[in-house]
C-alpha cells in the first residue's frame, strides 16, 4: 500500500468530555498506520507541510464540503448469527425471546452452506454500517464459527470472533468437555489465519465466549477459566444482568455465589480484557468488583429498550472509572449500526436524567443521572469501545503510530439521505458530526478503512 494524505475536517475523540474538530492533514504510511497529523491547516499550507515531512509526489485525498473523517465505530457486542432475526420478537422479554426467536435461528448454523451465505452478508452489512472493529458471538458450531472468522479476515475487518459455550438450558448444547475442546480448536484455527506480519496484533482474534451463566454449568465455567488463565491476552465476552428474570434464574443456579458478577469472578473470567454485555442490574458491590478487575461493559441500549430489559446506569459506571463502549446486540437490538446505539444511548441517558430531575447534585459525580453530550457519545462509540477491547493504544482515535481505522462521512445532499438537511451555509465539523449521529445512516458512510485499507462504504467497489 502506498502512503496517502487526507486533507479536510477531522473529528478526533479525546475523552468523555472533549474532542478535537479541525481541518487537518493526516498522513497514512504504507503499513496503514498514521505517520503524522497537522491540525488547523489552510489550503495554502498543504504542499509546504507535506514537503517538510518528506511526502513528495504522494496522493492527497481532499474532502469536499460536507465531508469529514472520524475514527471507525467499535461494536463491543453483537450476534452475527442473529442478524436474520432483526426486527422480530420484540413482544418478548429476554428468556422468552431466546426460546422462541434466537435458539431456533442459531440451530440453522449447523448447515455450513447456510452459515457461509449468512455470515458473508452479515459481515458486509456490519462493515458498511461503519463498524471497523466488532466483537462477534457466533453459535456453538465450530465449523460455522470458523467460516465466520474466515469471512471477517477476508473482508479485512478488525474483529474478535467467539464460539458460544453452552452445556444446558438451550436448544443445542455440548457437554462441558466437548465445549472446551471445540473452543480450543477455534482459538488455534483463528490464530493460524493469514495476517500481516507488521501488525502488533492480528486483525481477527479469538475471544472466549461463555454465552451467559444460565447456559453454563459450574464445571464448564471452571474449565473456561482454566483456558483463560493459560492465555492472559485472550479476550473474554459474556452477558451480565440483562433482565430481572435472568438475574433471578442465575442466582437459583448458583446459590453458592454472592452475586451474578461473582459467578464469573470466582472462576477467573472477570479481568481487564473481559467484555460484559448489558450490566443493567448491578449492585454497589458488583460495580466495585467490575471496577477492581478493570473489566469493561458493553452498553446495548437499543436491545435493552426493545426487549424491555431496563436502562443501564452508565453514568454511574463511568463515575466509578469503569470502561464502557457501545454494542448493537443484534438481534435483541434491531439495527446493525452503532449510529442507532448512539441515538438510544442518548435517549437512555435522558431517561435517567429525567428520573432524577431536581435531585441535589452529588459531587464528584460527573456523569451519573445526567444526559450524555455529543463528546461522550463519540467517545463511547470509538475510544471507549477500544478501551473495552484493550485496543485503545492502537485504534479508537487518531495519533501517530495508531492504525488508520476510519470513516469518511458525507452529510451532503448527494449522499441520498433525506433526513439530513443540507443548507447553503458552510457547515462546521461539530455541526456535521451531530447531524450524522442523530440523522445519519449507512448512506452517509462513503468510505470505511481498517489499517489504512478501504474495505467498505458507498465508495467501495465490491
Amino acid at each position: 500500500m502506498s502512503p496517502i494524505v487526507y486533507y479536510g475536517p477531522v473529528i478526533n475523540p479525546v475523552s468523555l468530555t472533549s474532542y478535537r474538530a479541525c481541518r487537518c492533514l493526516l498522513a497514512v504510511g504504507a503499513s496503514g498506520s498514521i505517520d503524522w497529523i497537522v491540525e488547523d491547516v489552510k489550503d495554502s499550507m498543504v504542499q509546504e507541510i507535506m514537503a517538510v515531512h518528506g511526502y513528495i509526489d504522494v496522493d492527497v485525498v481532499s474532502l469536499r464540503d460536507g465531508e469529514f473523517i472520524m475514527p471507525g465505530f467499535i461494536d463491543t457486542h453483537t450476534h452475527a448469527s442473529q442478524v436474520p432475526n432483526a426486527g422480530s420478537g420484540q413482544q418478548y422479554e429476554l428468556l422468552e425471546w431466546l426460546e422462541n426467536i434466537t435458539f431456533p435461528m442459531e440451530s440453522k448454523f449447523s448447515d455450513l452452506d447456510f452459515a457461509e451465505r449468512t455470515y458473508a452478508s452479515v459481515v458486509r452489512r456490519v462493515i458498511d454500517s461503519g463498524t471497523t472493529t466488532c466483537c462477534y458471538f457466533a453459535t456453538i458450531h465450530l465449523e460455522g464459527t470458523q467460516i465466520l472468522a474466515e469471512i471477517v479476515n477476508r473482508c479485512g475487518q478488525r474483529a474478535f470472533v467467539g464460539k458460544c459455550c453452552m452445556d444446558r438450558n438451550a436448544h443445542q448444547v455440548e457437554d462441558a468437555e466437548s465445549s472446551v475442546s471445540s473452543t480450543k480448536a477455534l482459538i488455534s484455527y483463528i490464530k493460524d489465519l493469514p495476517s500481516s506480519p507488521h501488525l502488533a496484533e492480528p486483525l481477527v482474534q479469538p475471544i472466549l465466549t461463555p454465552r451467559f451463566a444460565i447456559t453454563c454449568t459450574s464445571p464448564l465455567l471452571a474449565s473456561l477459566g482454566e483456558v483463560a488463565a493459560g492465555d492472559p491476552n485472550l479476550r473474554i465476552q459474556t452477558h451480565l444482568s440483562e433482565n430481572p428474570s435472568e438475574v433471578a434464574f442465575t442466582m437459583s443456579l448458583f446459590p453458592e455465589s454472592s452475586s451474578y458478577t461473582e459467578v464469573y469472578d470466582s472462576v477467573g473470567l472477570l479481568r481487564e480484557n473481559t467484555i460484559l454485555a448489558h450490566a443493567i442490574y448491578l449492585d454497589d458491590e458488583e460495580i466495585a468488583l467490575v471496577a477492581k478487575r478493570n473489566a469493561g461493559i458493553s452498553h446495548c441500549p437499543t436491545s435493552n429498550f426493545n426487549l424491555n430489559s431496563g436502562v443501564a446506569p452508565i453514568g454511574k459506571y463511568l463515575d466509578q472509572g469503569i470502561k464502557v463502549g457501545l454494542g448493537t446486540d443484534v438481534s435483541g437490538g434491531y439495527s446493525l449500526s452503532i449510529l442507532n446505539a448512539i441515538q438510544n444511548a442518548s435517549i437512555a441517558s435522558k431517561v435517567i436524567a429525567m428520573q432524577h430531575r431536581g435531585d441535589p447534585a452529588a459531587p464528584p459525580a460527573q456523569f451519573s443521572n445526567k444526559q450524555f453530550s455529543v463528546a461522550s457519545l463519540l467517545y463511547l462509540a470509538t475510544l471507549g469501545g477500544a478501551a473495552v477491547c484493550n485496543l485503545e493504544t492502537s485504534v479508537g482515535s487518531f495519533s501517530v503510530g495508531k492504525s488508520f481505522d476510519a470513516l469518511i462521512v458525507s452529510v451532503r445532499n448527494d449522499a441520498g439521505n433525506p433526513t439530513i438537511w443540507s443548507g447553503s451555509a458552510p457547515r462546521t465539523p461539530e455541526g456535521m458530526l451531530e447531524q450524522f449521529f442523530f440523522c445519519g445512516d449507512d448512506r452517509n458512510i462513503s468510505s470505511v478503512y481498517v489499517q489504512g485499507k478501504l474495505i467498505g462504504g458507498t465508495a467501495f467497489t465490491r
Side-chain angles (χ1 to χ4, degrees):
M1 187 174 70
S2 300
I4 193 167
V5 175
Y6 297 89
Y7 176 50
V10 173
I11 304 292
N12 199 10
V14 176
S15 70
L16 280 159
T17 58
S18 68
Y19 64 93
R20 296 282 296 164
C22 58
R23 200 166 186 82
C24 297
L25 273 175
L26 189 155
V28 179
S31 68
S33 295
I34 298 170
D35 276 355
W36 49 268
I37 306 174
V38 178
E39 296 182 342
D40 298 318
V41 176
K42 297 179 180 179
D43 293 354
S44 60
M45 302 163 57
V46 171
Q47 294 303 320
E48 179 183 352
I49 292 171
M50 291 180 61
V52 167
H53 287 88
Y55 268 55
I56 308 297
D57 295 326
V58 173
D59 289 338
V60 178
V61 175
S62 295
L63 274 61
R64 301 175 296 171
D65 177 55
E67 295 180 331
F68 65 91
I69 296 175
M70 64 171 289
F73 293 136
I74 297 177
D75 189 342
T76 57
H77 179 70
T78 203
H79 295 260
S81 55
Q82 293 179 25
V83 172
N85 281 337
S88 301
Q90 57 82 35
Q91 70 271 30
Y92 297 114
E93 290 195 10
L94 176 64
L95 299 182
E96 293 79 13
W97 171 80
L98 288 169
E99 180 69 21
N100 291 284
I101 301 294
T102 299
F103 290 150
M105 173 55 68
E106 291 189 359
S107 68
K108 296 180 179 181
F109 285 83
S110 60
D111 180 337
L112 299 188
D113 288 337
F114 178 83
E116 176 76 39
R117 293 193 309 272
T118 304
Y119 285 145
S121 178
V122 167
V123 174
R124 172 48 49 205
R125 294 173 188 217
V126 172
I127 291 171
D128 289 340
S129 296
T131 296
T132 52
T133 298
C134 192
C135 298
Y136 288 111
F137 277 62
T139 63
I140 68 166
H141 308 101
L142 173 59
E143 294 84 358
T145 307
Q146 289 171 336
I147 288 171
L148 173 60
E150 287 177 359
I151 291 169
V152 173
N153 198 51
R154 188 165 65 237
C155 289
Q157 189 183 35
R158 196 180 303 276
F160 298 94
V161 178
K163 187 192 82 67
C164 284
C165 297
M166 303 189 293
D167 65 343
R168 64 173 170 182
N169 294 324
H171 286 196
Q172 290 191 314
V173 297
E174 302 173 285
D175 62 74
E177 183 177 350
S178 298
S179 185
V180 173
S181 175
S182 59
T183 292
K184 290 179 177 178
L186 178 69
I187 291 170
S188 297
Y189 182 86
I190 293 177
K191 287 184 175 181
D192 287 339
L193 288 172
S195 177
S196 300
H198 64 265
L199 296 178
E201 293 184 279
L203 289 182
V204 182
Q205 298 185 56
I207 185 166
L208 201 62
T209 308
R211 188 187 196 110
F212 63 159
I214 286 174
T215 58
C216 298
T217 61
S218 293
L220 175 56
L221 288 176
S223 295
L224 293 174
E226 293 173 2
V227 173
D231 185 355
N233 294 317
L234 179 65
R235 274 71 166 185
I236 303 163
Q237 62 180 357
T238 191
H239 299 81
L240 175 67
S241 295
E242 180 177 355
N243 176 281
S245 297
E246 170 219 8
V247 175
F249 190 17
T250 298
M251 297 316 299
S252 73
L253 295 172
F254 296 90
E256 72 281 2
S257 294
S258 60
S259 69
Y260 195 161
T261 305
E262 201 268 334
V263 171
Y264 297 133
D265 187 58
S266 65
V267 292
L269 293 174
L270 194 68
R271 61 189 193 184
E272 68 174 357
N273 52 10
T274 298
I275 303 170
L276 302 165
H278 304 288
I280 300 173
Y281 298 101
L282 304 185
D283 62 29
D284 289 345
E285 290 184 359
E286 290 179 284
I287 295 170
L289 181 56
V290 171
K292 180 179 180 180
R293 298 289 185 252
N294 198 27
I297 289 174
S298 176
H299 180 34
C300 305
T302 304
S303 175
N304 296 344
F305 284 134
N306 192 47
L307 295 181
N308 199 28
S309 295
V311 183
I314 296 301
K316 182 177 182 180
Y317 301 157
L318 293 173
D319 282 335
Q320 295 300 312
I322 294 174
K323 300 177 295 187
V324 179
L326 296 180
T328 58
D329 192 33
V330 173
S331 65
Y334 46 77
S335 173
L336 287 168
S337 177
I338 285 292
L339 283 172
N340 182 267
I342 287 169
Q343 293 153 14
N344 279 300
S346 176
I347 292 171
S349 71
K350 291 176 180 178
V351 168
I352 290 177
M354 286 187 287
Q355 291 172 339
H356 293 273
R357 183 177 288 155
D359 287 1
Q366 188 171 12
F367 302 101
S368 296
N369 305 333
K370 298 178 182 178
Q371 70 180 64
F372 290 149
S373 65
V374 170
S376 296
L377 296 168
L378 172 65
Y379 183 89
L380 293 175
T382 55
L383 197 51
V388 168
C389 296
N390 269 22
L391 290 173
E392 68 273 21
T393 60
S394 57
V395 299
S397 64
F398 300 133
S399 63
V400 174
K402 278 194 166 187
S403 301
F404 187 66
D405 286 17
L407 309 178
I408 293 182
V409 175
S410 171
V411 294
R412 295 166 56 89
N413 280 330
D414 56 17
N417 181 350
T419 305
I420 292 183
W421 179 263
S422 298
S424 58
R427 285 162 289 190
T428 65
E430 296 88 347
M432 290 190 292
L433 177 65
E434 189 170 14
Q435 276 191 311
F436 176 55
F437 271 11
F438 292 99
C439 299
D441 59 32
D442 60 301
R443 290 170 292 188
N444 300 106
I445 300 171
S446 61
S447 301
V448 180
Y449 298 92
V450 170
Q451 200 65 40
K453 181 181 178 182
L454 178 66
I455 67 165
T458 60
F460 179 68
T461 302
R462 293 160 180 78

